[in-house]
């Protein structure tokens, strides 16, 4: 890919429906400390997990265009629901830009490969949003990596919303997690994919419910490794010597994003700017 002057020092764009993708950004900040990042949380249209594939493609195009127009040199889709519906269409859209192609990396393939490597029994579980489960994207990615691995998928319609709202871990949340984990225990899986970027926030609860021998696969590390390789292969690495900067955009309330975001990122968030994605009507979740 021919790089124009200054491309190396442009930010990596990262997006999610809300603050869940910050669990992915956290790993990227650790793995690629010299890079700059620009994160967009489409909080006004959260949750994505109950959207149709058509809506998810429209929203993803709009968010991707915003980040690329603001200079993103690479795009990370840190949302499983958006990846499941829009990754292929996004890749084709961003490869045809007159101003130069931008590579797109999604969460599903890196996590699926990590799960296939981790399982010893060939029985893998998936916890994800209804949109992600309905797409069959994990089943396809796992079948491509190893046709002998069987996937038991569980749609979790409410968990991301509870987490995004800044949940208290009370009996209701514990009961919800137990009911989502029950089919996975029944299927005797040895590996569970956290197929939603919000779910690492309830990792201890999931691990306790599923038992200590079950391996949990979260999106962060697997995708950070994929981004590192893409940066190296594309010759896109920042020339900066010290630590890079990271900035935030959201489509909803800035202060709620900042407050919830710090819990997810476990690093300071100084400034959040609200961005109006005006081409599409904002539909409340
Ligand atoms: N972060 C989204 C995902 O990974 C889940 C939350 C939502 O429903 O928007 O699918």
């Amino acid at each position: 890919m021919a790089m124009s002057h200054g491309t190396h020092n442009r930010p990596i764009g990262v997006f999610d429906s809300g603050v869940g993708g910050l669990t992915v950004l956290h790993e990227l900040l650790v793995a690629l400390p010299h890079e700059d990042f620009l994160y967009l949380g489409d909080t006004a249209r959260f949750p994505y997990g109950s959207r149709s594939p058509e809506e998810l493609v429209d929203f993803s195009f709009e968010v991707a265009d915003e980040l690329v127009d603001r200079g993103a040199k690479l795009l990370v889709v840190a949302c499983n629901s958006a990846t499941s519906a829009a990754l292929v269409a996004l890749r084709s859209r961003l490869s045809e830009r007159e101003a130069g192609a931008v590579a797109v990396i999604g969460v599903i393939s890196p996590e699926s490969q990590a799960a296939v490597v981790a399982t010893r029994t060939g029985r893998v579980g998936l916890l994800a949003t209804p949109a992600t489960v309905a797409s069959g994207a994990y089943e396809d990615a796992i079948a491509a990596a190893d046709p002998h691995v069987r996937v038991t998928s569980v749609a979790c319609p409410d968990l991301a919303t509870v987490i995004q709202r800044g949940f208290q871990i009370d009996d209701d949340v514990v009961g919800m997690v137990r009911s989502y984990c029950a089919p996975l225990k029944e299927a005797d899986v040895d590996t569970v994919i956290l197929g939603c970027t919000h779910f690492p926030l309830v990792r201890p609860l999931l691990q306790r419910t599923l038992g200590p021998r079950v391996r949990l696969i979260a999106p962060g590390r697997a995708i950070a490794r994929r981004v590192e390789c893409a940066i190296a292969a594309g010759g896109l690495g920042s020339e900066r010597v010290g630590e890079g900067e990271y900035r935030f955009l959201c489509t909803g309330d800035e202060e709620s994003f900042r407050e919830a975001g710090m819990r997810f990122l476990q690093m300071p968030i100084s400034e959040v700017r609200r961005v109006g994605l005006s081409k599409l009507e904002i539909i409340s979740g």
Side-chain angles (χ1 to χ4, degrees):
M1 201 186 307
M3 287 297 123
S4 63
H5 181 69
T7 300
H8 300 84
N9 297 326
R10 295 195 333 228
I12 296 172
V14 182
F15 83 87
D16 179 38
S17 55
V19 288
L22 295 173
T23 59
V24 172
L25 181 63
H26 171 95
E27 296 294 342
L28 291 169
L29 288 168
V30 172
L32 295 158
H34 306 309
E35 294 294 335
D36 288 354
F37 292 90
L38 178 60
Y39 181 97
L40 196 157
D42 193 4
T43 43
R45 294 186 294 205
F46 176 90
Y48 275 15
S50 50
R51 303 283 183 191
S52 69
E54 294 75 22
E55 279 178 308
L56 290 172
V57 170
D58 284 348
F59 293 178
S60 299
F61 277 7
E62 196 179 22
V63 172
D65 288 350
E66 185 71 33
L67 287 170
V68 170
D69 288 349
R70 288 173 183 260
K73 64 182 174 186
L74 178 81
L75 188 70
V76 178
V77 187
C79 173
N80 304 70
S81 307
T83 301
S84 72
L87 186 68
V88 174
L90 271 175
R91 283 197 170 135
S92 131
R93 182 181 184 86
L94 295 189
S95 66
E96 286 161 5
R97 292 176 68 246
E98 258 175 45
V102 173
V104 186
I105 296 179
V107 271
I108 290 178
S109 157
E111 263 196 303
S112 300
Q113 282 182 2
V116 163
V117 169
T119 184
R120 288 290 167 271
T121 61
R123 292 189 297 275
V124 168
L126 168 69
L127 296 170
T129 65
T132 300
V133 170
S135 74
Y138 275 100
E139 279 90 345
D140 293 347
I142 286 174
D146 185 341
H148 300 106
V149 174
R150 293 280 160 270
V151 187
T152 303
S153 300
V154 179
C156 311
D158 302 317
L159 193 52
T161 305
V162 167
I163 296 170
Q164 172 99 1
R165 280 197 195 126
F167 64 111
Q168 303 287 330
I169 302 203
D170 56 16
D171 288 348
D172 289 349
V173 177
V174 173
M176 182 186 289
V177 165
R178 282 217 177 101
S179 72
Y180 293 149
C181 289
L184 304 184
K185 293 181 81 150
E186 177 78 12
D188 198 21
V189 300
D190 72 345
T191 303
V192 172
I193 298 172
L194 307 187
C196 171
T197 47
H198 284 66
F199 294 176
L201 267 282
V202 289
R203 189 179 185 129
L205 203 51
L206 290 165
Q207 189 77 68
R208 180 168 155 77
T209 310
L210 290 163
R213 279 190 291 278
V214 172
R215 290 278 306 272
L216 299 185
I217 308 291
R221 292 239 171 101
I223 202 167
R225 200 202 129 268
R226 193 70 69 94
V227 172
E228 274 186 88
C229 291
I231 291 278
L236 289 169
S238 168
E239 290 152 339
R240 190 192 282 275
V241 177
E243 280 173 22
E245 293 168 359
Y246 51 97
R247 293 177 290 128
F248 300 92
L249 304 168
C250 68
T251 54
D253 179 64
E254 301 96 315
E255 197 40 42
S256 346
F257 180 95
R258 213 177 70 80
E259 268 173 34
M262 293 221 267
R263 250 179 308 117
F264 278 67
L265 192 63
Q266 295 166 33
M267 291 193 200
I269 292 183
S270 48
E271 195 187 311
V272 182
R273 289 204 174 174
R274 190 171 189 152
V275 62
L277 299 181
S278 55
K279 282 169 262 164
L280 289 172
E281 187 190 350
I282 291 181
I283 310 157
S284 64

